[in-house]
Amino acid sequence: MRLQLFLGVFSVCALAFSPVADGCGPGRGYGKRRPPKKLTPLALKQFSPNVAEKTLGASGRYEGKITRNSERFKELTPNYNPDIIFKDEENTGADRLMTQRCKDKLNALAISVMNMWPGVNLRVTEGWDEDGHHSEDSLHYEGRAVDITTSDRDRNKYAMLARLAVEAGFDWVYYESKGHVHCSVKSEHSVAAKTGGCFPGNSLVTLEGGAKKLMCDLRPGERILASSGSDGSGEPLYSEVVTFLDRQPDAHKTFYTLGTARGANLTLTAAHLLFATDAADCSRSALKEAFASDVRPGQCVLTYGQGDEEQEEEEEREEGTQTRKGGVRRGHLTRVTWVEVREGRGAFAPLTRHGTLVVDDVLASCYAAVDQQWLAHWALGPLRALHSLAGSAFGPGTGTHWYARLLHWVGSVLLDPSHFHPWWKIGTI
Ligand SMILES: *[C@@H]1O[C@H](CO)[C@@H](O)[C@H](O)[C@H]1NC(C)=O
C-alpha cells in the first residue's frame, strides 16, 4: 500500500513536470516517447484515487476560504490559457483564478483534450468560488478545484475526460455528474513540504578556484565549497557532490530568500536547514541548524568571500588569525537583514560528502525537514557510501524525495516532534 502510494506520488511528479522546459541545461529529452497507453474511462460517480477528496492520499485537508480581502488571495493566479474556455457565468473572472498547481494540471489537461479530440477544447464551468455556491469546506473556495466539461458539451466524452484529468496529474478526480467532472489538487505548501528542502536552479555554488556555477548545471562528482564536519562550525573545504536528493529542473516552488548585510542572499525552501545563530549571540559557537522559515533579521549566518578582499586581509592581519586554510577563505558571521518569500523555478538538493554546502555565498545544510543535522547526516551515511563505491555512475537523475520520508521515519522513532518542521507535523503519507 505504502509503496503503491509512493509510486503514485512519484509518477504524478514526473507527469506534472514534463510539459514545460526552459531554464538551464537540457533538463529533459532523455526520455523516450512512451508507447500509447490504454486509457480506461471513469464510471459515473467514480473517483480517483479511490479515497475521500480531502485526505492525504488525495488533495489533502481544507485550509480555509480565500476571499479577495484575505492575505492568501495572492496564492491565486489567473489562468489565461487561450486553449481553455472559461464559462465565467459570474462575469468576474473568478473562474480563471486558481493555485499554481491547479493551473499546471489544467494546462496539461488542455493539451491532452486537444490531442484526444481534435477541434475540441477543455472548458471550465467553475473555478475559484467567492460567492459560497458550493458545499461547506469546498476546495473551490481555495482555488484548488475546477469543474470541467469539453467545449462541445458532448456528455459522452466526460467519462474519458475524467481519465485524462487523472493522467494530467490532478490529485483527485471525480466524475461527479453526467454534466461535469470535478478535479482538485493539493495545497501548494503541502506539496512543497513533501519535497523536503531545495534550492532554486539559478542559485550559485562555488567551485575549486572560486568560479561560480549555476545549481541547475551542477553534476555529481564535482567538488563545491562546503564546511567540514556535519555542522556549521567546521573549516571550509571543497566537498564532492555525491548525488541529488531532489532534482526537478521544471518545478515551481515557494522559496525563502534571506538577505545579509554583506549582500549575499540565500534562497531556499522553508523546510531546508542552514546554520544560524540566535539574534542575541552572534558568535561562531552559537551557530546551529535552523529551518529557513525560522530565520529572522538580526540572526547571523556564515558567508564566504563576498566583496572586498583587501578589507578581509586587513582584518586577518589585525586579528592575527589564519583565515586561510588550505587556500580557502574562512566564513564570516554576517547578519541577516531581510527575509522575503518568493516564487522560484527548479528544485535542487545536492548531497555532498560533508553534508553541507555554500550556496549564494552562504553556508547551508544538505538536509531538510528535521532540525538535526547530525541525524540527517548519519541516516544518509549508507547512501553516501553507496555512491562512493559506485562513483558518480548514477548521473544527475531527477525528482526523488524519498529521503525526506526516510528521515521523517527515522526522526519519528528517535526524536521529539518539536524537531520537525511544522509542515511535517501535519502528517505525511
Ligand atoms: C541581494 O539583495 C540586495 C537587495 O535586494 C541586492 O542589492 C544585492 O545585489 C543582492 N545580492 C546579490 C549577490 O544578488
Side-chain angles (χ1 to χ4, degrees):
M1 182 59 200
R2 234 160 217 276
L3 180 68
Q4 252 175 340
L5 220 59
F6 171 76
L7 290 175
V9 169
F10 185 80
S11 59
V12 163
C13 291
L15 262 172
F17 300 120
S18 54
V20 275
D22 50 281
C24 90
R28 63 181 190 141
Y30 33 82
K32 290 200 186 71
R33 188 182 287 259
R34 268 179 242 130
K37 182 171 154 187
K38 177 131 180 51
L39 294 170
T40 318
L42 262 63
L44 186 62
K45 296 288 174 195
Q46 188 187 345
F47 38 89
S48 175
N50 191 17
V51 293
E53 178 177 31
K54 284 169 269 179
T55 58
L56 280 162
S59 292
R61 69 190 175 91
Y62 175 68
E63 298 185 355
K65 186 167 183 157
I66 296 182
T67 66
R68 284 187 194 266
N69 299 323
S70 60
E71 170 70 8
R72 289 173 61 215
F73 184 64
K74 63 178 189 317
E75 292 175 19
L76 303 183
T77 150
N79 189 333
Y80 293 119
N81 188 334
D83 294 327
I84 303 176
I85 316 245
F86 289 88
K87 186 173 171 196
D88 195 18
E89 59 193 338
E90 300 85 3
N91 235 326
T92 56
D95 286 343
R96 290 186 186 270
L97 290 173
M98 54 193 71
T99 62
Q100 184 66 45
R101 183 172 178 83
C102 192
K103 184 170 161 178
D104 291 344
K105 308 303 176 190
L106 201 64
N107 290 347
L109 177 59
I111 295 168
S112 22
V113 167
M114 290 187 293
N115 286 337
M116 174 72 70
W117 301 294
V120 174
N121 288 87
L122 174 61
R123 176 168 171 266
V124 174
T125 58
E126 283 288 338
W128 174 56
D129 175 7
E130 56 182 327
D131 304 321
H133 291 317
H134 290 83
S135 59
E136 209 179 321
D137 296 356
S138 162
L139 297 183
H140 283 287
Y141 300 139
E142 284 186 67
R144 287 163 56 193
V146 283
D147 289 343
I148 55 170
T149 69
T150 52
S151 58
D152 59 0
R153 295 194 232 168
D154 173 3
R155 295 184 170 207
N156 296 321
K157 293 195 172 83
Y158 298 170
M160 184 54 90
L161 177 66
R163 170 55 61 194
L164 293 181
V166 173
E167 297 292 317
F170 277 97
D171 297 307
W172 197 70
V173 176
Y174 180 28
Y175 185 9
E176 190 168 5
S177 79
K178 286 192 178 132
H180 76 272
V181 175
H182 171 94
C183 314
S184 62
V185 295
K186 293 178 189 297
S187 70
E188 299 297 304
H189 72 240
S190 69
V191 177
K194 267 203 212 73
T195 61
C198 312
F199 304 97
N202 63 357
S203 53
L204 293 167
V205 292
T206 308
L207 302 176
E208 270 170 305
K212 295 282 162 66
K213 186 162 200 172
L214 280 170
M215 182 64 80
C216 56
D217 288 333
L218 185 65
R219 293 292 180 267
E222 291 185 290
R223 283 152 55 90
I224 57 175
L225 188 57
S227 174
S228 68
S230 59
D231 64 20
S233 56
E235 296 295 330
L237 47 69
Y238 289 96
S239 186
E240 186 192 340
V241 176
V242 178
T243 184
F244 280 83
L245 298 172
D246 204 334
R247 193 171 190 287
Q248 303 174 21
D250 297 323
H252 287 271
K253 294 216 177 290
T254 301
F255 291 99
Y256 279 69
T257 300
L258 314 178
T260 68
R262 282 176 193 262
N265 311 324
L266 174 64
T267 301
L268 71 184
T269 51
H272 206 100
L273 292 178
L274 71 157
F275 303 99
T277 64
D278 277 342
D281 180 8
C282 209
S283 72
R284 206 166 256 271
S285 60
L287 268 179
K288 62 183 191 347
E289 60 270 61
F291 293 122
S293 57
D294 285 344
V295 175
R296 300 279 176 269
Q299 284 174 265
C300 283
V301 294
L302 266 188
T303 62
Y304 287 80
Q306 268 292 307
D308 42 17
E309 304 212 341
E310 276 172 30
Q311 192 192 327
E312 277 178 31
E313 273 160 25
E314 189 100 339
E315 282 171 17
E316 279 172 32
R317 277 195 296 278
E318 280 173 12
E319 286 169 15
T321 53
Q322 195 183 343
T323 32
R324 278 162 193 271
K325 176 133 185 168
V328 187
R329 202 171 279 284
R330 275 186 66 157
H332 289 271
L333 284 160
T334 308
R335 293 250 182 225
V336 172
T337 49
W338 51 269
V339 177
E340 234 177 62
V341 179
R342 357 173 132 150
E343 298 304 307
R345 185 185 181 95
F348 297 83
L351 173 65
T352 64
R353 198 161 296 289
H354 293 84
T356 61
L357 77 170
V358 172
V359 177
D360 296 332
D361 292 322
V362 180
L363 182 66
S365 163
C366 292
Y367 307 117
V370 175
D371 72 348
Q372 300 282 298
Q373 173 81 10
W374 66 268
L375 174 75
H377 199 63
W378 171 79
L380 289 176
L383 179 69
R384 288 191 309 273
L386 175 70
H387 279 272
S388 59
L389 285 176
S392 37
F394 289 96
T398 47
T400 48
H401 52 256
W402 52 268
Y403 91 98
R405 267 162 232 267
L406 169 74
L407 253 184
H408 188 263
W409 177 77
V410 172
S412 64
V413 174
L414 296 177
L415 295 176
D416 182 89
S418 66
H419 291 298
F420 291 97
H421 189 270
W423 290 350
W424 283 85
K425 282 180 204 155
I426 296 169
T428 50
I429 48 174

mmCIF file of all heavy atoms in Angstrom, residues 373-394:
data_model
loop_
_atom_site.group_PDB
_atom_site.id
_atom_site.type_symbol
_atom_site.label_atom_id
_atom_site.label_comp_id
_atom_site.label_asym_id
_atom_site.label_seq_id
_atom_site.Cartn_x
_atom_site.Cartn_y
_atom_site.Cartn_z
ATOM 1 N N GLN A 373 20.980 18.181 12.172
ATOM 2 C CA GLN A 373 21.955 17.919 11.122
ATOM 3 C C GLN A 373 22.641 16.563 11.316
ATOM 4 O O GLN A 373 22.802 15.797 10.382
ATOM 5 C CB GLN A 373 22.990 19.050 11.121
ATOM 6 C CG GLN A 373 24.179 18.842 10.198
ATOM 7 C CD GLN A 373 23.863 19.197 8.747
ATOM 8 O OE1 GLN A 373 22.835 19.764 8.456
ATOM 9 N NE2 GLN A 373 24.754 18.835 7.849
ATOM 10 N N TRP A 374 23.022 16.249 12.580
ATOM 11 C CA TRP A 374 23.755 15.002 12.833
ATOM 12 C C TRP A 374 22.930 13.785 12.443
ATOM 13 O O TRP A 374 23.427 12.830 11.871
ATOM 14 C CB TRP A 374 24.175 14.892 14.308
ATOM 15 C CG TRP A 374 23.001 14.764 15.253
ATOM 16 C CD1 TRP A 374 22.352 15.782 15.890
ATOM 17 C CD2 TRP A 374 22.306 13.563 15.627
ATOM 18 N NE1 TRP A 374 21.300 15.297 16.625
ATOM 19 C CE2 TRP A 374 21.254 13.944 16.500
ATOM 20 C CE3 TRP A 374 22.475 12.197 15.337
ATOM 21 C CZ2 TRP A 374 20.367 13.016 17.059
ATOM 22 C CZ3 TRP A 374 21.594 11.282 15.896
ATOM 23 C CH2 TRP A 374 20.552 11.683 16.754
ATOM 24 N N LEU A 375 21.625 13.867 12.731
ATOM 25 C CA LEU A 375 20.744 12.730 12.463
ATOM 26 C C LEU A 375 20.621 12.505 10.957
ATOM 27 O O LEU A 375 20.742 11.388 10.463
ATOM 28 C CB LEU A 375 19.366 12.974 13.074
ATOM 29 C CG LEU A 375 18.347 11.897 12.715
ATOM 30 C CD1 LEU A 375 18.607 10.626 13.507
ATOM 31 C CD2 LEU A 375 16.934 12.374 12.947
ATOM 32 N N ALA A 376 20.406 13.603 10.242
ATOM 33 C CA ALA A 376 20.260 13.518 8.797
ATOM 34 C C ALA A 376 21.554 12.967 8.189
ATOM 35 O O ALA A 376 21.523 12.092 7.323
ATOM 36 C CB ALA A 376 19.947 14.901 8.233
ATOM 37 N N HIS A 377 22.680 13.471 8.691
ATOM 38 C CA HIS A 377 23.966 13.073 8.133
ATOM 39 C C HIS A 377 24.217 11.586 8.397
ATOM 40 O O HIS A 377 24.672 10.848 7.534
ATOM 41 C CB HIS A 377 25.068 13.925 8.762
ATOM 42 C CG HIS A 377 26.330 13.917 7.964
ATOM 43 N ND1 HIS A 377 26.398 14.406 6.685
ATOM 44 C CD2 HIS A 377 27.579 13.465 8.258
ATOM 45 C CE1 HIS A 377 27.638 14.264 6.221
ATOM 46 N NE2 HIS A 377 28.352 13.684 7.163
ATOM 47 N N TRP A 378 23.844 11.178 9.588
ATOM 48 C CA TRP A 378 24.013 9.778 9.968
ATOM 49 C C TRP A 378 23.079 8.877 9.148
ATOM 50 O O TRP A 378 23.475 7.857 8.603
ATOM 51 C CB TRP A 378 23.740 9.665 11.477
ATOM 52 C CG TRP A 378 23.667 8.259 11.973
ATOM 53 C CD1 TRP A 378 24.729 7.438 12.244
ATOM 54 C CD2 TRP A 378 22.477 7.511 12.234
ATOM 55 N NE1 TRP A 378 24.264 6.220 12.651
ATOM 56 C CE2 TRP A 378 22.888 6.233 12.664
ATOM 57 C CE3 TRP A 378 21.117 7.794 12.157
ATOM 58 C CZ2 TRP A 378 21.979 5.243 13.003
ATOM 59 C CZ3 TRP A 378 20.203 6.812 12.501
ATOM 60 C CH2 TRP A 378 20.644 5.549 12.913
ATOM 61 N N ALA A 379 21.818 9.300 9.019
ATOM 62 C CA ALA A 379 20.831 8.475 8.325
ATOM 63 C C ALA A 379 21.195 8.284 6.854
ATOM 64 O O ALA A 379 20.881 7.262 6.256
ATOM 65 C CB ALA A 379 19.440 9.107 8.440
ATOM 66 N N LEU A 380 21.871 9.280 6.277
ATOM 67 C CA LEU A 380 22.207 9.182 4.860
ATOM 68 C C LEU A 380 23.614 8.640 4.623
ATOM 69 O O LEU A 380 24.071 8.575 3.493
ATOM 70 C CB LEU A 380 22.009 10.529 4.175
ATOM 71 C CG LEU A 380 20.525 10.895 4.035
ATOM 72 C CD1 LEU A 380 20.362 12.271 3.438
ATOM 73 C CD2 LEU A 380 19.780 9.873 3.204
ATOM 74 N N GLY A 381 24.273 8.228 5.705
ATOM 75 C CA GLY A 381 25.616 7.643 5.590
ATOM 76 C C GLY A 381 25.655 6.508 4.568
ATOM 77 O O GLY A 381 26.512 6.487 3.673
ATOM 78 N N PRO A 382 24.730 5.558 4.666
ATOM 79 C CA PRO A 382 24.746 4.438 3.711
ATOM 80 C C PRO A 382 24.628 4.897 2.260
ATOM 81 O O PRO A 382 25.271 4.337 1.372
ATOM 82 C CB PRO A 382 23.510 3.630 4.113
ATOM 83 C CG PRO A 382 23.268 3.982 5.539
ATOM 84 C CD PRO A 382 23.714 5.402 5.703
ATOM 85 N N LEU A 383 23.855 5.938 2.032
ATOM 86 C CA LEU A 383 23.695 6.436 0.662
ATOM 87 C C LEU A 383 25.003 7.027 0.153
ATOM 88 O O LEU A 383 25.424 6.784 -0.978
ATOM 89 C CB LEU A 383 22.592 7.501 0.608
ATOM 90 C CG LEU A 383 22.355 8.096 -0.784
ATOM 91 C CD1 LEU A 383 21.737 7.057 -1.708
ATOM 92 C CD2 LEU A 383 21.459 9.324 -0.710
ATOM 93 N N ARG A 384 25.669 7.803 1.030
ATOM 94 C CA ARG A 384 26.948 8.389 0.603
ATOM 95 C C ARG A 384 27.957 7.290 0.312
ATOM 96 O O ARG A 384 28.708 7.344 -0.651
ATOM 97 C CB ARG A 384 27.486 9.342 1.678
ATOM 98 C CG ARG A 384 26.705 10.639 1.776
ATOM 99 C CD ARG A 384 27.443 11.652 2.651
ATOM 100 N NE ARG A 384 27.826 11.075 3.934
ATOM 101 C CZ ARG A 384 27.046 11.061 5.000
ATOM 102 N NH1 ARG A 384 25.862 11.610 4.963
ATOM 103 N NH2 ARG A 384 27.453 10.499 6.115
ATOM 104 N N ALA A 385 27.954 6.237 1.160
ATOM 105 C CA ALA A 385 28.893 5.134 0.971
ATOM 106 C C ALA A 385 28.607 4.412 -0.345
ATOM 107 O O ALA A 385 29.520 4.122 -1.119
ATOM 108 C CB ALA A 385 28.785 4.160 2.141
ATOM 109 N N LEU A 386 27.356 4.184 -0.607
ATOM 110 C CA LEU A 386 26.954 3.521 -1.847
ATOM 111 C C LEU A 386 27.460 4.293 -3.053
ATOM 112 O O LEU A 386 28.019 3.729 -3.987
ATOM 113 C CB LEU A 386 25.425 3.422 -1.895
ATOM 114 C CG LEU A 386 24.825 2.871 -3.185
ATOM 115 C CD1 LEU A 386 25.135 1.382 -3.303
ATOM 116 C CD2 LEU A 386 23.320 3.098 -3.219
ATOM 117 N N HIS A 387 27.269 5.605 -3.000
ATOM 118 C CA HIS A 387 27.682 6.409 -4.138
ATOM 119 C C HIS A 387 29.192 6.500 -4.262
ATOM 120 O O HIS A 387 29.709 6.616 -5.357
ATOM 121 C CB HIS A 387 27.052 7.801 -4.076
ATOM 122 C CG HIS A 387 25.660 7.806 -4.585
ATOM 123 N ND1 HIS A 387 25.367 7.994 -5.919
ATOM 124 C CD2 HIS A 387 24.478 7.604 -3.956
ATOM 125 C CE1 HIS A 387 24.051 7.924 -6.087
ATOM 126 N NE2 HIS A 387 23.492 7.691 -4.909
ATOM 127 N N SER A 388 29.911 6.405 -3.144
ATOM 128 C CA SER A 388 31.358 6.495 -3.292
ATOM 129 C C SER A 388 31.890 5.176 -3.851
ATOM 130 O O SER A 388 32.886 5.155 -4.553
ATOM 131 C CB SER A 388 32.040 6.888 -1.986
ATOM 132 O OG SER A 388 31.752 5.959 -0.997
ATOM 133 N N LEU A 389 31.203 4.075 -3.600
ATOM 134 C CA LEU A 389 31.604 2.802 -4.201
ATOM 135 C C LEU A 389 31.295 2.785 -5.695
ATOM 136 O O LEU A 389 32.093 2.382 -6.515
ATOM 137 C CB LEU A 389 30.839 1.636 -3.546
ATOM 138 C CG LEU A 389 31.293 1.244 -2.161
ATOM 139 C CD1 LEU A 389 30.390 0.154 -1.607
ATOM 140 C CD2 LEU A 389 32.745 0.785 -2.192
ATOM 141 N N ALA A 390 30.094 3.281 -6.025
ATOM 142 C CA ALA A 390 29.642 3.215 -7.408
ATOM 143 C C ALA A 390 30.144 4.392 -8.226
ATOM 144 O O ALA A 390 29.857 4.501 -9.403
ATOM 145 C CB ALA A 390 28.118 3.168 -7.442
ATOM 146 N N GLY A 391 30.872 5.304 -7.588
ATOM 147 C CA GLY A 391 31.296 6.505 -8.277
ATOM 148 C C GLY A 391 30.081 7.346 -8.579
ATOM 149 O O GLY A 391 29.051 7.213 -7.939
ATOM 150 N N SER A 392 30.183 8.191 -9.595
ATOM 151 C CA SER A 392 29.010 9.008 -9.899
ATOM 152 C C SER A 392 28.282 8.430 -11.099
ATOM 153 O O SER A 392 27.711 9.122 -11.913
ATOM 154 C CB SER A 392 29.390 10.467 -10.096
ATOM 155 O OG SER A 392 30.619 10.538 -10.753
ATOM 156 N N ALA A 393 28.317 7.104 -11.180
ATOM 157 C CA ALA A 393 27.705 6.409 -12.310
ATOM 158 C C ALA A 393 26.194 6.631 -12.395
ATOM 159 O O ALA A 393 25.588 6.370 -13.412
ATOM 160 C CB ALA A 393 27.978 4.910 -12.206
ATOM 161 N N PHE A 394 25.613 7.126 -11.310
ATOM 162 C CA PHE A 394 24.172 7.310 -11.302
ATOM 163 C C PHE A 394 23.706 8.486 -12.143
ATOM 164 O O PHE A 394 22.543 8.574 -12.473
ATOM 165 C CB PHE A 394 23.652 7.496 -9.873
ATOM 166 C CG PHE A 394 23.706 6.237 -9.059
ATOM 167 C CD1 PHE A 394 24.782 5.987 -8.219
ATOM 168 C CD2 PHE A 394 22.691 5.296 -9.148
ATOM 169 C CE1 PHE A 394 24.833 4.828 -7.475
ATOM 170 C CE2 PHE A 394 22.744 4.131 -8.401
ATOM 171 C CZ PHE A 394 23.823 3.890 -7.561
#
